[in-house]
Amino acid sequence: MFEVNREEIDWAGRKLVLETGKIARQADGAVLASYGETTVLATVVSAKTAKPGQDFFPLTVNYQEKAFAAGRIPGGYFKREGRPSEKETLVSRLIDRPIRPLFPEGYRFDTQVVVTVLSHDMENDPDILAMVAASAALTISGIPFMGPVGAARVGLVKDEIKLNPTIDELKTSSLDLVVAGTGEAVLMVESEAKQLSEDIMLKAVMAGHAGFQPVIEAIIRLAEKAAREPRAFEPADTAAVEAAVLAEVEGDIRSAYAIRGKAERYGALDAAKKKMMAALVPADGDAKFPAQALAEAFKAAQAKVVRNSILDTGSRIDGRDLKTVRSIRSEVGLLPRTHGSALFTRGETQALVVATLGTGEDEQYVDSLEGSYKERFLLHYNFPPYSVGETGRMGSPGRREIGHGKLAWRAIRPMLPTPAEFPYTIRVVSEVTESNGSSSMATVCGSSLALMDAGVPLKAPTAGIAMGLILEGTRFAVLSDILGDEDHLGDMDFKVAGTAEGITSLQMDIKIAGITEEIMRVALGQAKDGRLHILDEMSQALTGARAELGEFAPRIESFKIPTDKIREVIGTGGKIIREIVEKTGAKVNIEDDGTVKVASSDGEKIRAAVNWIKSIATDPEVGLIYEGTVVKVVDFGAFVNFFGSKDGLVHVSQLAQGRVNKPSDVVKEGDKVKVKLVGFDDRGKTKLSMKSVDQKTGEDLDKKEKEPVTF
C-alpha cells in the first residue's frame, strides 16, 4: 500500500529522519521529519492554474502546534486549539522568508505550506525541523522551486559556537541565532544576542551555513528517490514590454526619483504611469500590451532606473551617499500621565513609543508546548494605515506587526534589568506614526528612550538600523538606513540592533538567491558605524535611565518570607490576602519561592501592606521600634496594635517620662504612637514601652548618650 522512502543522518549528535510516501499522499509533497523525538509533518500543495489577473505570488505558510504533541490537553472552554499563537505566527514567517525568493519570477499559482507538530521531546525546538521539513516537501513536490533550503540554530555556550543547542542549553547561551540558506549562500537570519561583536555574529552565521549542508544533501538524496515529475513552467518573456515602457517613460521615472519628498515623488511616478498607459493602451485604439503586463513592466523599469543609478553614481533617491543616516530627532516625556514616553523621528519614519510599568498581576501567561510560563516584558508594535498616508482596515495585529514587534523585543530584552533588580512587569507600545523605511528599527530606538524615561535601568541604550543591498553581477552597494523604495526595489533587508558594545539582535531577509560572506561583512561593519551615530543622536535626549520613577508609576517593594508561611499569608481560599489588598489598597503578589511584591503609587499603602504581611510571616524583635495604634486604654496602661496584627501592653509606668496619674492623660484610643518591644512576661504577653522612644523622631532614647554634666 505504501511506497515509503527515507533518509537518515546524524546531525549535531542527534538523528534526523526524513520520510515520505506514507502520510498525506494526496498533497503535492509531504515529508514526515523527526529530530530526536520531535516530529513534524510538512505538506505542500500548489494550484494547477493561476487566478486571472493575479499580479503577485500567493504563498501561504501555516505552522501549527498540536497540544497532543506534548501530551497535553488545550486549556479554555472548548479544549481545542484556536487562533495561532505568537510563536506559531513567528515560525510561519521563519519558514516563509527563505523559501519565497526561490520560486521562479512570474509564478502566480496559489501555494500553501502546512507544517504540523506531532511530537515534542522538550529538548529540540520544532522550528528548525519545521523549516527543514517544509524545504524537503517542496523539493519533492514537482513544484518549480530552486531549493532545497537548509536551516540550523546556532548558540554560543561557554564562548563556544554550538550547532543546534537544546532548549536547556539555550538558557545559558549568549546567542540564539537561526540561519537558513542554500548550498551556496545565506538567505535568512534571525537572532537575539547579548552584546556580541560583529565578528562573532558573522562567525555564527557561517557556522550555521556550514552546519546545515548535510541536511541539504539528505534532501537531495530523498528527492532523487521520491520526487514527482517537475511541473512545466516557463516564465513569460517580458523583454518587449519592458523595452516599450522604458522607451516611453524612462526619463519621467528618472525625474521622479530625483524628487526627495516621498509624497511628491509618488505623485510624479503616478503621472508617469498614466502617461505610459495612455501611450500603450490608448482609449481609441488597440492595446499594444495587456494592462497587467504593463503594470509589472513599470515596476521593473522603476527598479532598473533606481538600482543602476545607485551603482553608477553612489547617490541615492533622497540625495544621500551610501553610508549617511537621515536626520534624527529624539524627544522624551511627551505624555504627562504615562510612565515613560518618547518620540523618535528619523527622516520620514517616526514612532511614538510608550512604556508602562505594572506588577506581577500584569505578567502575561503564555501557554506553550513546553508548558505554561509568565512573561514580564511585552513589546507591541502597531502600524496604522495613516502612517503611509493611506486608508485601511484597523483590527487585531497581523503577521507583519507581530514579527516587527518581536524583532524589537529581541533587541531590547538583553538590556533589561533582572527581576531582582527591577521587580516590574514592563509593557512597551510602539505606534508608528510615519513610515518611509525601517519602522521596526525606529521602534527599537524609541523603546530604549521610553524605558529610560520611565526609570527602567537598562544596561545600555539600544539603537537599530536597517541596511539594504543592490547587487548586479559582481557589482554591489550596501545602503545604510534604507528608504521604503530602497527596500522594495533592493535585494536585501538587513536589520541590526545593539548597543555601543555589541549586537543584541540581527535579522536578514534576502530577495535573491543568497549573499556571500564578503557582503555580510561589509554590511555588518557599515551597520555598526550607523548604529553608533544613532546612539550619539539619541544621547541628546537621554543618556541613561531617570533616577526616579514617574509620578504616576507604581512603587514596588520586594522582600522574602519563609515558604512555610505563604499559606498563612494567603489564608483559606485567599481570605487573608484579599483582606490585605482591600484594606490597604496595595497590590500584593506572592511567588512560590516566598518572594513578595507589594505595589502602589502611595507609599503609605505599601508600608501598611508590608507591615501586615510581615506581622503574619515573621515575629517582632525585642529592642526594635514599631509604629502602632492605641486600641484600648485601661487604668494600668494602654493596649497597642503594632506590626500589622500584634497587640501589646504599654504599662502606665512606660507611657511617658515622669509620673503618669491616668493613662488617658497621655493617650486616647486611635492615637498613632511609636513603641519599643521590651520583652515578654511569664505568660508570653508582649511588653511595650513608649517612654523609651522619641514620639516625634522615633529615636531610641535608651541608646542616646547622656550629655556630660558640667560643674
Side-chain angles (χ1 to χ4, degrees), residues 19-20 29 111 146 172 223 237 289 296 309 359 363 373 415 439 465 508 554 559 603 605 650 657 688 697 708:
E19 181 183 295
T20 187
T111 303
M146 297 179 290
T172 60
D237 185 357
F289 300 98
E296 294 182 12
S309 174
T359 67
E363 291 179 335
Y373 64 93
M415 294 297 98
S439 57
I465 186 170
M508 182 181 75
F559 59 96
K605 294 179 179 179
V650 182
Q657 299 288 341
L688 304 173
T697 65

Side-chain angles (χ1 to χ4, degrees), residues 173-232:
S173 175
S174 54
L175 173 67
D176 181 2
L177 181 143
V178 174
V179 58
T182 62
E184 295 74 34
V186 174
L187 283 168
M188 187 275 295
V189 177
E190 185 79 40
S191 67
E192 178 182 340
K194 295 181 180 178
Q195 298 190 90
L196 299 181
S197 70
E198 282 72 15
D199 286 342
I200 291 176
M201 295 298 290
L202 182 58
K203 181 180 178 182
V205 170
M206 301 318 297
H209 181 257
F212 62 61
Q213 296 308 311
V215 176
I216 290 178
E217 294 168 3
I219 293 174
I220 292 172
R221 291 195 299 270
L222 182 68
E224 289 172 347
K225 295 185 288 186
R228 296 192 177 192
E229 285 297 317
R231 290 192 191 181

Side-chain angles (χ1 to χ4, degrees), residues 278-294:
L280 300 178
V281 189
D284 55 354
D286 295 334
K288 297 180 181 180
F289 300 98
Q292 182 178 334
L294 286 169

Side-chain angles (χ1 to χ4, degrees), residues 2-70:
F2 302 119
E3 186 178 342
V4 178
N5 289 285
R6 176 186 175 100
E7 279 295 321
E8 180 179 320
I9 63 171
D10 182 79
W11 189 33
R14 279 147 283 170
K15 186 167 64 176
L16 172 68
V17 179
L18 303 175
E19 181 183 295
T20 187
K22 187 174 183 179
I23 299 177
R25 292 173 295 163
Q26 295 186 48
D28 290 332
V31 170
L32 186 71
S34 298
Y35 192 47
E37 293 184 348
T38 294
T39 303
V40 305
L41 172 67
T43 64
V44 57
V45 175
S46 188
K48 304 300 187 292
T49 58
K51 294 178 182 177
Q54 188 82 37
D55 62 352
F56 66 95
F57 175 36
L59 172 65
T60 303
V61 177
N62 298 104
Y63 167 86
Q64 51 186 1
E65 295 181 336
K66 298 297 183 180
F68 61 71

